[in-house]
Structure formats: structure tokens, C-alpha cells
Amino acid sequence: MVSTTERCADVAERLAEAERGNAEQIRKSAELILGVIRADALVFTAGAGHSLAAVAETFYRAGGLACVYPVYHPELLPLHGAQHSTKTERRSGLAEEVLAERAPGPDDVLVVFSTSGVNPYPVELAAGARKRGASVIAVSSAASVAKAPKRAATTLIEEASIVLDSHVRPGDASYPPDAPRTAPLSTVINAFLWNLVLAEVVDLGAAQGVDIPLWRSSNVDGGDEANAALLAKYGARVPALR
């Protein structure tokens, strides 16, 4: 049996590995996002299945970017039908339907979270965004992509402008170490990588004199007032803020 201390050390090392292995990609991602802020454009974020947890982490969150447009379709959420959500992610053509409603343009960036990175929805979403001139940041796992059955013409990694590699093992599980079958880490590492990008955006913005639009907690003094200005700025462009 692995002790709690050993388990925590293992997770901490996985996070450190993700940070070390993505240092340059984190910087490049932050530069892209800073460009979005300079252009008064939007950061679109997308995922399917449990990768939608990462999308929730990017949107309307205390300390998070205010210029985020969550790309969402209810059939992709397991809470609205678990088996159906898997089938929906594998359905070719859905991404184009979603993009037809609102797509990123040349000044925008699309961030797609998908650990396996092989199902049609995330792959076609990235391809469709690039066709429209948008840059694409993929948060995926090269090891998982290599082992997953291919269900699209390409993979998310192939379609991306920048790849943040989570290094998540195929199948996502991490415990027990010799034959992992539980304790998936993709949600933890996805959130960690996104927050590393946000920290870099703030540092770059400070160095270049760019004000970064960040939400404040509504449960601290002045939070509602600070957020009201951001809602006035982005509310009309991001329907999910209403």
C-alpha cells in the first residue's frame, strides 16, 4: 500500500513534470493570449466529456480571465447523458455546427482540452478554428494520443498551433503505479497548466503595461463592483455571462 505522503509526492512530481516539459509552450501560449487582450478579442475554450471540467475552470472564475468564451454543446456533458456524451464526441460534423453559431476569428485564440485528442469533435473544432484564421492551443497528452484508437482524419495535436502536453498516461488512471486503474489526473494537470499560463500572462502584461481583465471573487469586498465593469464589457459578446 502506498502511503498518503508517497501518493502526494507522486502527484506533485507529475505536476512538476508538466511544468518542466511545457516551459516554452506556456510562454508562447501566454504571448498568444496577451495578443488577444491587446486586440480586445476573445479566448475560446472547449472540451468534451470530463475535459469540460477544464473549460469550467477557465470561465467566470475568481482570478480567471474575463475575456473567455466557453464553447459548449449540452450533449457533450456526461451529466446530460453519459453514454450519449461519448457518442456525441465521436460524431463527425458537430464541431462545424457549433462553430456556425459562433467561431473564433484571426484575433482570437481557441484552447481545446482533450487528453486523448483523437475524437472528431475536438479535432474538427481545432481544424475549423484554424481555417477561420484563429490560433489553437491544445492541452492534450502525446502519450495518450499515441495509444488511442484514431477516429478522425488527424489528431488534436496535429491541428494545434501550440501543444501543452499533460503527460497523462493512456487511460488517464494513475494508481496503483504498476497497473493503474483509478485516480485519474487529467483534470488536476489541465487546471495546473492553465493556471501556469494565466500566471505568465499576468507577468507579461505587467512587464508590457497591459492590463489583464481578471474576475474577482464575488465573496470579497469590492468583488461585485469590479466584476460589474467586466460584465458590461464582455456580456454582450459572451452569451454565457448573462
Side-chain angles (χ1 to χ4, degrees), residues 19-37:
E19 183 173 15
R20 287 192 304 266
N22 289 286
E24 182 64 14
Q25 291 84 355
I26 288 167
R27 183 187 63 79
K28 290 180 178 179
S29 298
E31 288 175 346
L32 276 181
I33 291 173
L34 190 64
V36 169
I37 295 169

Side-chain angles (χ1 to χ4, degrees), residues 1-20 166-169 172-186 188-189 192:
M1 180 181 294
V2 176
S3 70
T4 302
T5 300
E6 290 173 316
R7 182 66 190 140
C8 289
D10 179 60
V11 174
E13 176 53 31
R14 296 296 183 85
L15 295 176
E17 178 188 27
E19 183 173 15
R20 287 192 304 266
S166 64
H167 299 282
V168 168
R169 294 175 178 176
D172 204 351
S174 68
Y175 187 83
D178 55 342
R181 59 184 183 274
T182 191
L185 290 179
S186 62
V188 174
I189 296 176
F192 180 63

Side-chain angles (χ1 to χ4, degrees), residues 59-102:
F59 179 67
Y60 194 55
R61 197 215 190 291
L65 276 180
C67 54
V68 168
Y69 187 112
V71 179
Y72 175 70
H73 190 288
E75 292 183 44
L76 293 165
L77 183 65
L79 293 174
H80 292 169
Q83 295 179 63
H84 184 67
S85 70
T86 298
K87 294 177 182 177
T88 301
E89 185 179 2
R90 296 178 180 179
R91 191 174 86 218
S92 182
L94 177 62
E96 196 56 38
E97 292 177 23
V98 171
L99 290 173
E101 294 181 8
R102 179 69 166 87

Side-chain angles (χ1 to χ4, degrees), residues 31-43 67 102 105-109 210-213 233-234 237:
E31 288 175 346
L32 276 181
I33 291 173
L34 190 64
V36 169
I37 295 169
R38 286 184 181 277
D40 193 22
L42 296 172
V43 177
C67 54
R102 179 69 166 87
D107 290 332
D108 303 311
V109 169
V210 179
D211 184 42
I212 308 302
K233 181 174 183 178
Y234 295 109
R237 286 187 280 167

